[in-house]
Amino acid sequence: MGWLVDRYGVKRPYSICFALWCLAAAATGAVTALPALIVMRLVIGAAEAVVIPATYRYLADHFEETRKGTALGIFSIGGKMGPALGAPVAAWMIIAYSWQAMFIVTGLLGLVWLIPWLLMVRNDYPSGEELAIAKHRAAAVPLGNLLASPVVWGGLINNFCYSYFAFYCMTWMPAYLVEQRGLSLEKSGLYTFFSFAGIAIVAALAGWLADRLIARGHDAVAVRKAFIVAGFVGGTTILLGVYSRSPTMALFWNVLSLSLLGLATANNLALVKLTLIPRQAVGLNTGLQQVATSLAGGVSASLSGWLLYLGKGNYTFAMLAIFVFLLLGAMSTVMLLQRKWAPKVDQPGYEQSEAIRANR
């Protein structure tokens, strides 16, 4: 998808994939056989893959450095408020109706988003001449250049560590609140809402504040790295919750830890997907970074389950794994995210694309 949006724009690929994504989500609740259910989940994952590369391609084309953090903070609100609202709403729909009805309703309602998207976003599908320019521009930073950059690997580590915690909160945290802290399913969904609402608000504020500091002349890389490290370290406070004997304090640390991770959200996204990445390769690099994000989802769900088994139903080992990954993310930020290690641009390909642009 990253390769696609670098060449063919954002609006049309996003529209097609989003429609397919929503329809597959609705079909998840309608199919009756396990193989069909698996196929629908695979289709959802494949279509959903367009979201992040298309978003960053759009941001790279329309936002300067002093506005990227704010834009990504606003974008992150949507990404976090989805799970925040989805947890209690989905729990209510499953209890009141069925899990099938939940998938059908949420899938079809998502299609409403296409209306303002198609009406308000400018068509950026390239003409033949523009397509030639886009191809030459994208070829100036091939995949090999990205894979040779410590910045890209630092981003992969960061996105994995960040997403490991976020996916844990979406998958195992509700179960932890029910099984170990005695909450009902409805209340666990409510506290999941508080956690994701907290990270959304902090992410938006942290992105805006970083932009203001950069606009005042502070180095963009140094500013965003400081916020990222603070976010990863702040997230480790989840460990205080598992060792707390008071259910109230455990809930407090659960909500606070994910909220503090919001300090890293927009700034990490800006740094490893925009600030330190050549503009020509934003889509391709973002798609590459999403590999780490998606991998984190599978590893978080399965590793946490295995650690829960080792702990005989106690979540301490699972929380310790989060602690280790968050510290790894902080170290990766300090050591690997340096301007001198940004991906290299192949000048012949870049100059050729600029020559084509100049001759238009």
Side-chain angles (χ1 to χ4, degrees), residues 8 40 88 135 157 202 220 226 236 273 292 306-307 344 358 360:
Y8 296 97
M40 290 302 102
K135 286 181 177 179
I157 294 171
V202 173
T236 62
K273 296 181 180 179
W306 181 67
L307 292 173
K344 300 292 188 264
R360 292 182 63 193

Side-chain angles (χ1 to χ4, degrees), residues 43-250:
V43 171
I44 289 173
E48 184 184 11
V50 76
V51 176
I52 302 301
T55 298
Y56 286 87
R57 178 75 268 161
Y58 185 87
L59 293 176
D61 290 341
H62 295 89
F63 290 86
E64 300 300 323
E65 183 62 49
T66 55
R67 301 171 63 208
K68 289 174 182 175
T70 304
L72 283 166
I74 295 171
F75 169 70
S76 298
I77 290 177
K80 300 301 181 292
M81 290 305 295
L85 295 173
V89 172
W92 171 78
M93 291 186 67
I94 291 170
I95 292 171
Y97 300 99
S98 66
W99 68 265
Q100 294 95 333
M102 182 270 293
F103 275 112
I104 293 171
V105 171
T106 54
L108 294 180
L109 280 178
L111 291 171
V112 174
W113 175 84
L114 279 173
I115 299 172
W117 173 259
L118 292 172
L119 292 176
M120 299 173 66
V121 176
R122 181 181 64 85
N123 182 29
D124 58 352
Y125 190 78
S127 64
E129 187 179 7
E130 290 170 334
L131 180 59
I133 295 173
K135 286 181 177 179
H136 284 292
R137 183 180 62 235
V141 188
L143 181 61
N145 288 22
L146 294 176
L147 294 176
S149 169
V151 165
V152 172
W153 286 101
L156 288 168
I157 294 171
N158 278 18
N159 282 305
F160 180 92
C161 295
Y162 176 97
S163 299
Y164 184 95
F165 186 17
F167 277 112
Y168 173 86
C169 291
M170 284 188 279
T171 54
W172 282 104
M173 185 65 77
Y176 163 76
L177 295 176
V178 171
E179 296 170 8
Q180 198 152 322
R181 294 300 177 180
L183 270 65
S184 65
L185 180 60
E186 294 93 334
K187 286 188 176 180
S188 73
L190 181 62
Y191 278 99
T192 301
F193 165 80
F194 289 148
S195 296
F196 280 96
I199 192 175
I201 294 169
V202 173
L205 291 175
W208 173 83
L209 181 56
D211 283 352
R212 300 288 66 76
L213 292 172
I214 294 168
R216 292 179 181 179
H218 295 281
D219 180 66
V221 175
V223 169
R224 298 206 191 281
K225 284 176 68 170
F227 276 93
I228 296 168
V229 171
F232 278 127
V233 173
T236 62
T237 56
I238 190 173
L239 204 57
L240 298 175
V242 76
Y243 285 117
S244 175
R245 294 185 178 182
S246 165
T248 301
M249 289 306 300

